[in-house]
Amino acid sequence: LLCWTYVRVLNMWKYSVLFSYVGTSFCGWQKQKLSAEVEDKPSIQFVFEKTLQRITGESCTIVGSGRTDAGVH
């Protein structure tokens, strides 16, 4: 995690997170169909959303401002 900010808009918290990762173990940024996510290489978006769900106890959707292809590092 490199940087994060947050703001409250209409009773909802919105966060901005800037992070970096090594993409070797992932199938890219964007969530794939469920069958692809349970294989050996999940997407970054899938892992990030599931981690936040475990931390907060709530479901959330991540919106990326860029994409990474599979295996990029």
Side-chain angles (χ1 to χ4, degrees), residues 2 7 9-11 17-18 20 23 28-29 38 46-47 49 51 54 61 66-67 72:
L2 301 177
V7 64
V9 178
L10 300 175
N11 289 331
V17 179
L18 173 65
S20 62
W29 163 260
V38 295
F46 177 81
V47 172
E49 289 176 353
T51 301
R54 276 182 282 190
T61 301
R67 288 186 47 185
V72 172

Side-chain angles (χ1 to χ4, degrees), residues 11-60:
N11 289 331
M12 204 164 75
W13 287 102
K14 295 191 178 235
Y15 295 85
S16 173
V17 179
L18 173 65
F19 65 98
S20 62
Y21 55 89
V22 176
T24 306
S25 300
F26 301 96
C27 68
W29 163 260
Q30 190 172 13
K31 262 193 302 194
Q32 306 295 315
K33 292 183 181 178
L34 184 58
S35 60
E37 297 296 352
V38 295
E39 292 178 3
D40 197 27
K41 291 189 173 190
S43 68
I44 297 293
Q45 183 181 17
F46 177 81
V47 172
F48 207 132
E49 289 176 353
K50 289 300 177 189
T51 301
L52 287 174
Q53 184 177 15
R54 276 182 282 190
I55 292 169
T56 65
E58 296 180 18
S59 177
C60 65

